[in-house]
Amino acid sequence: MDLFEHQGKEFFARYGMPVSPGEAVFSVDEAVAAAERLGTPVMVKAQIHAGGRGKAGGVKYAADIDAVREHAGNIFGLDIKGHIVERIWIEKASDIAEEYYASFTLDRSAKMHLGMLSKEGGIEIETVAEENPDAIAKTWIDPVDGLTDEACRAWVAAANLPEAAFEGTVEIMKLLYTAYDEGDADLVEINPLILTPEGKMHVLDAKVTLDANSVFRHEDYAQYDATQPRDEREQAAHAKGLQYVGLEGSVGVIANGAGLAMSTVDVVSQAGGNAANFLDIGGGANADVMAGALEVINHDPSVKSIFINIFGGITRGDEVANGIIEAMRRVAIDSPIVIRLDGTNAEEGRVILAPNLDEKLMMEPTMLDAARRAVELAS
Amino acid sequence: MSIFVDENTSVIYQGLTGSQGSYYGRLNAEYGTRIVAGTHPKKAGTEVDGVPIYANVGEAVEATGATASCIFIPAPGVRGAVMESAEGGVEFIVAITEGVPAHDEAYFYNDLKRNFPDVRLLGPNCPGIISPGKCNIGITAGHIAKPGGPVGIVSRSGTLTYQALYELKQKDIGVTTCVGIGGDPVPGTSFIDCLEAFEADPDTRAVMMIGEIGGSAEEEAAEFIKNNMTKPVSCYIAGVTAPPGKKMGHAGAIVSGGKGTAAAKMEALADAGAQVGQNPTEAGELMARIVAEL
């Protein structure tokens, strides 16, 4: 789950990290009112789930209220990498002496947590990694030990920050690790972490991704789930508890298991077509789940044919077949359906489907045959 | 022969009293797996389908001499269940449960490595392991696997594991062991662990590998194949046409270092000498050709 910057700052503040006061607003009038409460100068910052906001004109300094009105007016509705700006964060402006970069994430290869710190902040860290890799100090953290005081100091020292920044950075890195660890984050990133002219460390940006699997111990994370960017189709599928990702093509895909669903999208492409979606109905494809999946796909106007690809492991083919027939009774499906059914009780499933087969419901013996047929019907 | 589990493996099911655990436990027992105990802290002394329930894994091991455990505990309890198994004295732990937080996985992976270096964990979020005709621990349907050899299978994806077994059975090719390592960020057992074990197993003479986009496990496996494998490998990577997965911010992009796409993985594997199929069927056909020439 990706957090907006302002949600990330609220998250950081809970762990005692220094962030600026601010307000999230949804209209120009709200922006002006917030700036009046906070007192100018303020920063006017677009809130989207993507980087590159500054370059796209989504982050502006406003010296007075007129500037707030002007910038907010320009930023609302701005299209940044396909994300339309609908919320803005108004924040008290800070004086900056230096800008640094700091993050924690899981290094899947090392199977440990990785901390990265650099005095080259405020610019894209990929650029630093490419042009000046030595400017990034890295520390690998065994989760059993956590980030010890000793390791944290050695790591911050390796980043070669000015002396004025050292103690403050050590303090913030410990808090950031606690937020990462206790908050079950996939990523916490501060860019920039600033040193003010008064010699104080301050968090000026926040990028936080939380682990959706951890919500059982973080009930308040439901608020973040509610603000995830989803198109209409994805929202409908999410409400039904289906694993769905919208794509651009015309063949609707339903499969059991994420790997098989991905593989189904692959074979549709190899057959010369394009999948309209990735949809994993998981194990135990009963009538309710199948009906829900067909409903979601049926609502997608770009779908011209539907490919149901089921491999019965523990899921039984006869139950899947009954599920499809029951689902078609409940939902009027516009596009023709091609089914590939294999594995456990596939033969029984095929017998159940046989009397129902017509030009709207077809069966093919293999995954590749079914992909070819579905693509043919979609073109 | 087979790897990790065989007809002598005796297994404790943690969560045997639950709906999932009892359902798959029964199927695994019908297949011939030696299920000697279940555990539940409050149901010690009872039975499930004739299998005795003990309060914890330690007591179950003491009473039965079991060497393996299988976890069907809901996600919040998995971290505790894995460590209970290791402390209880089993050598091989299979965690089927999906939805385990990544931080928990990283924690018990490193805890096991440090304090129980001889214990092997498979999963979490995996279909389990089957040595056809001998032992089936997890949720794979046993009848889709042909016993014998000469092929070993290792897969990151659940349903594609079944698909791989099925492709080979259609071609009348037997399997020594099929390991589903799961697709989570920190799997207990890696591709390389399985490739190494297959390389050492005399009855396994070729390996089929099924990967997925994301992470760099397949690239690491390719390195291992290039430097350490004498046995032929066929493979398939799911997600060739998937749009780039959700990038985990800038830090995540650096960790993966441009790795993670299906194209990069397929290229690495082909460079390592593996035969790369464009879909599971093609990977199966490639394996059939390999087997014919053994």
Side-chain angles (χ1 to χ4, degrees):
Chain A
M1 291 185 293
D2 293 327
L3 271 55
F4 288 119
E5 174 198 356
H6 76 90
Q7 293 172 325
K9 285 182 170 168
E10 286 151 14
F11 175 77
F12 284 165
R14 264 181 261 156
Y15 292 92
M17 293 164 67
V19 296
S20 305
E23 292 181 31
V25 298
F26 299 86
S27 69
V28 174
D29 288 345
E30 281 180 31
V32 167
E36 278 168 351
R37 276 189 292 269
L38 291 162
T40 50
V42 294
M43 295 301 295
V44 182
K45 304 182 84 176
Q47 300 294 292
I48 50 163
H49 293 291
R53 292 175 299 169
K55 274 185 204 155
V59 178
K60 294 286 181 190
Y61 172 83
D64 53 36
I65 293 297
D66 283 346
V68 172
R69 185 172 285 114
E70 185 196 335
H71 292 317
N74 290 336
I75 291 172
F76 274 122
L78 201 61
D79 183 335
I80 304 175
K81 295 179 182 169
H83 299 257
I84 307 297
V85 180
E86 290 169 344
R87 69 171 73 195
I88 284 177
W89 174 242
I90 305 288
E91 170 177 290
K92 192 99 176 116
S94 300
D95 291 329
I96 301 171
E98 297 210 30
E99 297 182 282
Y100 311 131
Y101 169 93
S103 69
F104 290 103
T105 189
L106 176 69
D107 181 344
R108 290 169 64 152
S109 291
K111 298 178 165 66
M112 283 198 252
H113 302 308
L114 169 64
M116 290 195 280
L117 181 62
S118 175
K119 63 178 176 184
E120 311 269 314
I123 50 171
E124 288 199 351
I125 195 66
E126 285 97 330
T127 312
V128 182
E130 213 163 277
E131 291 168 5
N132 193 9
D134 293 341
I136 303 174
K138 295 181 179 177
T139 185
W140 279 269
I141 303 148
D142 185 326
V144 178
D145 299 322
L147 180 63
T148 63
D149 181 64
E150 196 188 349
C152 186
R153 288 178 170 277
W155 172 46
V156 175
N160 288 319
L161 308 181
E163 209 186 320
F166 184 82
E167 285 300 331
T169 303
V170 167
E171 195 52 40
I172 290 182
M173 289 309 98
K174 286 184 189 169
L175 295 171
L176 184 61
Y177 183 77
T178 304
Y180 169 76
D181 182 38
E182 289 181 10
D184 278 296
D186 290 334
L187 168 76
V188 291
E189 187 178 71
I190 307 173
N191 191 19
L193 170 68
I194 62 159
L195 176 67
T196 66
E198 297 79 40
K200 288 222 161 54
M201 298 304 299
H202 196 75
V203 174
L204 218 55
D205 196 10
K207 185 165 177 55
V208 175
T209 304
L210 300 172
D211 182 355
N213 284 343
S214 75
V215 292
F216 66 79
R217 55 186 171 217
H218 304 285
E219 279 175 22
D220 56 317
Y221 285 5
Q223 61 176 314
Y224 304 131
D225 181 67
T227 56
Q228 292 308 297
R230 296 185 181 102
D231 68 22
E232 208 178 303
R233 303 175 295 172
E234 288 170 342
Q235 191 55 44
H238 183 72
K240 292 180 195 295
L242 298 166
Q243 297 295 319
Y244 179 99
V245 179
L247 302 171
E248 308 293 316
S250 56
V251 178
V253 164
I254 299 175
N256 64 326
L260 188 65
M262 262 196 285
S263 192
T264 308
V265 172
D266 287 350
V267 294
V268 165
S269 161
Q270 285 158 15
N274 281 301
N277 65 278
F278 160 103
L279 199 167
D280 167 20
I281 53 169
N286 62 31
D288 282 345
V289 177
M290 188 57 84
L294 280 170
E295 222 170 300
V296 167
I297 293 202
N298 198 45
H299 277 159
D300 183 347
S302 56
V303 168
K304 299 287 178 279
S305 70
I306 301 170
F307 177 6
I308 302 179
N309 189 8
I310 302 294
F311 192 96
I314 293 295
T315 308
R316 288 162 41 188
D318 50 339
E319 283 180 3
V320 172
N322 282 325
I324 293 169
I325 289 166
E326 175 64 29
M328 290 183 72
R329 227 173 259 146
R330 285 194 229 165
V331 189
I333 309 293
D334 306 323
S335 309
I337 299 174
V338 183
I339 303 165
R340 174 265 182 160
L341 189 59
D342 258 324
T344 308
N345 288 10
E347 202 40 57
E348 289 85 338
R350 292 191 195 116
V351 169
I352 293 168
L353 288 170
N356 297 282
L357 296 178
D358 53 25
E359 72 281 356
K360 297 289 278 181
L361 184 67
M362 284 155 267
M363 197 155 49
E364 291 289 342
T366 72
M367 185 161 155
L368 301 185
D369 291 329
R372 267 178 231 122
R373 175 69 81 94
V375 169
E376 227 172 77
L377 290 164
S379 54
Chain B
M1 288 244 309
S2 46
I3 67 167
F4 305 147
V5 297
D6 58 24
E7 62 274 27
N8 298 315
T9 305
S10 51
V11 198
I12 298 163
Y13 279 56
Q14 291 169 271
L16 189 67
T17 52
S19 67
Q20 298 275 307
S22 62
Y23 179 69
Y24 293 114
R26 194 173 304 133
L27 290 173
N28 289 173
E30 282 167 9
Y31 190 77
T33 308
R34 293 183 54 206
I35 301 178
V36 296
T39 59
H40 191 287
K42 289 180 193 143
K43 292 181 183 165
T46 63
E47 285 186 352
V48 172
D49 293 334
V51 176
I53 304 298
Y54 297 88
N56 57 56
V57 173
E59 288 178 20
V61 167
E62 204 169 312
T64 64
T67 53
S69 68
C70 180
I71 295 173
F72 275 106
I73 305 267
V78 168
R79 178 165 148 179
V82 167
M83 295 322 293
E84 182 191 320
S85 262
E87 283 156 13
V90 302
E91 300 157 3
F92 188 65
I93 305 166
V94 181
I96 304 298
T97 313
E98 65 179 324
V100 178
H103 282 249
D104 285 7
E105 294 182 0
Y107 191 95
F108 58 65
Y109 177 89
N110 285 286
D111 198 353
L112 288 177
K113 192 172 150 197
R114 184 186 302 189
N115 299 310
F116 301 92
D118 297 330
V119 172
R120 172 170 299 290
L121 169 69
L122 178 64
N125 191 16
C126 76
I129 181 168
I130 176 169
S131 291
K134 298 172 180 170
C135 180
N136 183 11
I137 305 174
I139 60 176
T140 305
H143 67 89
I144 58 172
K146 182 177 153 66
V151 178
I153 299 176
V154 56
S155 167
R156 227 174 106 183
S157 144
T159 16
L160 287 179
T161 311
Y162 315 149
Q163 181 74 38
L165 281 167
Y166 185 70
E167 296 284 352
L168 295 186
K169 194 181 181 189
Q170 295 298 299
K171 296 173 169 60
D172 204 34
I173 297 170
V175 170
T176 51
T177 300
C178 173
V179 193
I181 59 173
D184 273 5
V186 191
T189 292
S190 67
F191 278 125
I192 293 176
D193 294 329
C194 298
L195 292 172
E196 199 171 17
F198 281 133
E199 177 70 17
D201 173 36
D203 288 344
T204 301
R205 296 172 64 202
V207 179
M208 189 163 167
M209 178 178 143
I210 311 282
E212 279 177 16
I213 49 169
S216 58
E218 289 80 4
E219 286 87 340
E220 288 152 22
E223 253 331 275
F224 183 86
I225 290 168
K226 195 180 202 166
N227 300 325
N228 305 83
M229 291 281 291
T230 61
K231 299 176 181 178
V233 177
S234 84
C235 54
Y236 165 65
I237 306 294
V240 179
T241 48
K246 217 167 57 175
K247 186 171 130 186
M248 279 194 347
H250 296 210
I254 289 183
V255 173
S256 61
K259 293 176 178 176
T261 64
K265 289 171 188 298
M266 290 162 79
E267 198 185 318
L269 286 159
D271 282 351
Q275 303 205 22
V276 184
Q278 295 294 319
N279 53 59
T281 310
E282 210 177 292
E285 281 161 6
L286 290 169
M287 182 47 75
R289 254 176 267 159
I290 290 171
V291 170
E293 286 167 17
L294 284 175

